[in-house]
Amino acid sequence: MDGTDEQHWGPFGRPLFEDPSARALSRVGVLDVGSNSVRLVVFDGAARSPAYFFNEKILCGLGAGLSETGKLNPEGRVRAMAAIKRFKLLAEAMDLPPLSAVATAALRDAEDGPGFRAEIERETGIRLYVIDGAEEARLSAQGVLLGWPEAEGLMCDIGGSSMELAEISGGQVGRRLTSELGPLKLTSVKGGKKGLKAYVKTVMERLAGEIGTRPKRLYLVGGSWRAIAKLDMLRRNYPLWVLHEYRMTPKELGKTLDWIAASDLDELRVRTGTSGARMALVPVAAVVLKRLVRTFQPREIAVSAYGIREGLLYEQMPDQLRMRDPLIEACRFAEQKDARIPGFGKGLYEFLSPLYKGASPARLRIVRAACYLHDVSWRAHPDYRHEVTFEAATRANLGGLTHEERVFLGVALLHRYKSSRADCHFADVFTILPERELAKAEVLGKAMRFGAMLAVDKPHEKAALQWRPKKRELHIEIDRDAADLLGEVARARLDGLAQALGAEAVVKIRG
């Protein structure tokens, strides 16, 4: 299971994208042995924005009690070994290439860490690469870059026994720091709550002095942060339970941390579906996060579902692949895999482009993504395609997509299949967007709904749209030999698009 060419290729065994064909479709396994959990992730699909073919974690608590004993938790060792043996068998059954296997704070700090690493290699053949804190910070920051190529700010990754910080700017990872502010480590701090807060404050001020404060955005990585983000969603009654790219303001997060401190943790655990082992660490993690925000004073806080495992994947990407847009790559891959006419999305985008003259690059990006995805759910029952496409857009594991953009994309795809969103089950999710944005998403959806009627050929080669907003007129010029494509249903969809624009449709036959 271990790479046999480690000396040549470094700790990751081999280049994951050595063969050009593998850059479009790869299946790669990453084993992450952390202080609190052991996880196997298998990535599959478009290399720049991979899907999660398999993702399983076991909360083993390897680092529990490490501060007092200096050794790995005995029960955690047994559970971790069992998990690793299971993951090895699963990886073999999936016919994966050698796993990229890493271990973090617990194994690097424990007296018996080297012995346990040797035991794992002896019993499973897997050689763990034990990374130091700076390397852990770098890989976690690279995981953020996998989802946000344009990320600017400070990454903070909390594990069971450590907390790492890393600057991110211009697609690069800058200064990196590590600390012992992991919840498992902090449970041994003496002096009760007062002693814990004082210790955390001291360490945090030292970190701030070394790396600076007031980042544009604070990117939170790690299970304890994600558990707190779920609780923030619960307190706010937030309608879209997708953790990646979830945003919080320092003020609202402060309210949530105070609310957690005053709440029944068992009740919160049940309401959010959080494991008991994870919830037990939340109170200590909340103390750390409160001091983190107070000390560093970020403008905004964002949750990243991507971290060290995704960073390992990013590590192996050539620069050319890293520069690609993860959203567009994922949508293009979905079209090639699932659409009835792969490649039609590009022609549809060009056909609709006259509607978006002067639009921002951010909006054009979402329009392009929608065009790639406009037909990938055609196998769903016709009565439910609008729901399937909305769910896929808003719940999919896509990088480079804010929650507002998710909902915009979902509403546009919903209107690709349904003229009205009345009586939909997603009214609460619609509230994430203001009415004017919902209206714009409806226009895009109805434009795709009409453009799809010209799917017998590249629509931009047979017809051309002209949008005259001052006159409130939507013109379409269509070649004479293609005029019969404007049948009864197509004309009704054209009128529906014009109505959504508050305009009148004008048809001209050319040639």
Side-chain angles (χ1 to χ4, degrees):
M1 295 304 298
D2 175 66
T4 57
D5 204 13
E6 182 171 339
Q7 288 185 342
H8 181 66
W9 288 113
F12 309 109
R14 77 284 176 216
L16 304 182
F17 303 101
E18 179 180 24
D19 178 36
S21 65
R23 298 179 187 182
L25 181 63
S26 300
R27 189 166 293 174
V28 176
V30 174
L31 176 66
D32 178 8
V33 180
S35 301
N36 195 39
S37 65
V38 176
R39 185 190 294 261
L40 173 66
V41 175
V42 180
F43 299 104
D44 184 88
R48 184 57 187 83
S49 186
Y52 291 81
F53 179 78
F54 183 86
N55 190 349
E56 181 179 313
K57 71 175 178 182
I58 308 292
L59 292 173
C60 301
L62 267 174
L66 178 60
S67 297
E68 296 91 343
T69 66
K71 296 182 179 180
L72 298 171
N73 179 271
E75 181 184 349
R77 284 184 59 145
V78 173
R79 297 185 69 193
M81 180 61 79
I84 293 168
K85 287 181 176 179
R86 166 177 162 75
F87 292 155
K88 176 196 173 182
L89 292 175
L90 288 171
E92 290 175 343
M94 287 183 264
D95 196 26
L96 297 181
L99 294 175
S100 294
V102 297
T104 52
L107 261 74
R108 70 174 175 253
D109 294 343
E111 295 175 15
D112 55 346
F116 187 50
R117 179 175 180 260
E119 182 183 350
I120 291 170
E121 184 173 359
R122 185 171 59 252
E123 295 199 20
T124 68
I126 298 174
R127 187 183 305 166
L128 283 177
Y129 179 65
V130 181
I131 57 177
D132 62 25
E135 180 70 352
E136 186 174 354
R138 187 182 72 87
L139 290 173
S140 293
Q142 287 191 163
V144 172
L145 287 172
L146 181 76
W148 283 293
E150 76 294 347
E152 295 281 338
L154 185 68
M155 184 284 309
C156 179
D157 180 6
I158 193 167
S161 297
S162 67
M163 187 191 81
E164 280 69 42
L165 299 173
E167 293 176 321
I168 307 174
S169 180
Q172 301 295 321
V173 181
R175 290 177 293 178
R176 297 161 281 156
L177 297 174
T178 187
S179 71
E180 295 187 345
L181 295 182
L184 289 176
K185 275 278 184 75
L186 293 175
T187 54
S188 63
V189 173
K190 301 185 184 303
K193 289 184 179 180
K194 187 175 180 180
L196 173 63
K197 290 179 180 180
Y199 176 76
V200 171
K201 180 181 179 182
T202 299
V203 176
M204 206 70 74
E205 288 177 349
R206 174 180 61 79
L207 295 172
E210 293 183 42
I211 206 168
T213 60
R214 300 182 182 275
K216 178 179 180 180
R217 185 174 293 137
L218 178 65
Y219 298 91
L220 298 180
V221 176
S224 292
W225 295 156
R226 290 193 295 271
I228 291 173
K230 279 186 181 181
L231 294 169
D232 187 77
M233 290 177 170
L234 177 65
R235 183 188 68 82
R236 293 175 55 196
N237 196 28
Y238 189 75
L240 183 61
W241 280 61
V242 174
L243 286 169
H244 190 61
E245 269 274 22
Y246 179 63
R247 306 287 180 93
M248 298 173 284
T249 65
K251 183 177 180 180
E252 289 300 315
L253 177 57
K255 292 179 182 178
T256 295
L257 296 175
D258 290 340
W259 175 72
I260 291 171
S263 298
D264 184 321
L265 291 183
D266 285 337
E267 180 184 351
L268 296 182
R269 179 184 61 79
V270 171
R271 293 177 68 185
T272 57
T274 305
S275 71
R278 177 68 69 192
M279 187 59 76
L281 300 179
V282 163
V284 176
V287 171
V288 177
L289 185 54
K290 193 168 189 175
R291 176 52 59 182
L292 177 72
V293 173
R294 184 174 296 176
T295 301
F296 284 91
Q297 301 179 52
R299 298 185 212 168
E300 185 181 41
I301 300 157
V303 178
S304 174
Y306 299 167
I308 189 171
R309 293 168 291 275
E310 290 75 16
L312 282 164
L313 195 63
Y314 190 85
E315 176 77 9
Q316 294 294 335
M317 289 182 181
D319 288 339
Q320 184 179 5
L321 189 60
R322 290 180 178 183
M323 296 301 293
R324 294 179 185 173
D325 186 320
L327 172 64
I328 298 302
E329 289 297 302
C331 294
R332 184 183 287 125
F333 178 79
E335 184 196 34
Q336 291 297 317
K337 183 169 66 74
D338 294 326
R340 284 175 288 192
I341 309 176
F344 179 73
K346 182 176 184 293
L348 180 61
Y349 173 76
E350 293 180 13
F351 176 64
L352 300 182
S353 291
L355 298 177
Y356 294 96
K357 288 182 178 179
S360 68
R363 178 51 48 87
L364 291 175
R365 175 175 178 264
I366 299 302
V367 173
R368 183 183 292 273
C371 289
Y372 284 137
L373 296 178
H374 90 100
D375 191 46
V376 298
S377 299
W378 67 273
R379 292 181 184 274
H381 190 283
D383 292 345
Y384 296 100
R385 282 178 190 157
H386 66 289
E387 294 186 356
V388 170
T389 56
F390 183 86
E391 288 277 3
T394 54
R395 268 70 175 184
N397 186 51
L398 295 171
L401 198 62
T402 68
H403 280 206
E404 291 80 7
E405 289 170 334
R406 280 180 181 272
V407 177
F408 188 99
L409 183 61
V411 171
L413 292 169
L414 183 154
H415 282 291
R416 156 65 179 92
Y417 288 110
K418 194 174 188 291
S419 60
S420 171
R421 58 183 177 275
D423 302 322
C424 286
H425 303 303
F426 313 115
D428 57 339
V429 181
F430 296 157
T431 62
I432 290 175
L433 283 184
E435 283 296 327
R436 65 180 182 279
E437 288 295 294
L438 288 171
K440 291 177 181 178
E442 180 176 342
V443 167
L444 174 56
K446 290 186 174 180
M448 293 189 295
R449 186 172 173 83
F450 168 64
M453 298 297 291
L454 309 179
V456 295
D457 208 336
K458 297 179 180 179
H460 62 293
E461 294 181 358
K462 294 292 185 180
L465 288 173
Q466 292 182 8
W467 169 225
R468 301 180 181 179
K470 290 184 178 179
K471 292 186 176 182
R472 311 310 298 174
E473 292 178 350
L474 177 64
H475 290 238
I476 180 169
E477 294 184 358
I478 188 165
D479 293 350
R480 188 171 298 280
D481 63 356
D484 289 340
L485 288 174
L486 282 179
E488 183 177 332
V489 175
R491 182 56 200 250
R493 292 187 178 184
L494 175 63
D495 290 338
L497 171 58
Q499 183 179 7
L501 287 165
E504 178 184 355
V506 179
V507 178
K508 179 181 178 181
I509 308 300
R510 64 189 183 190

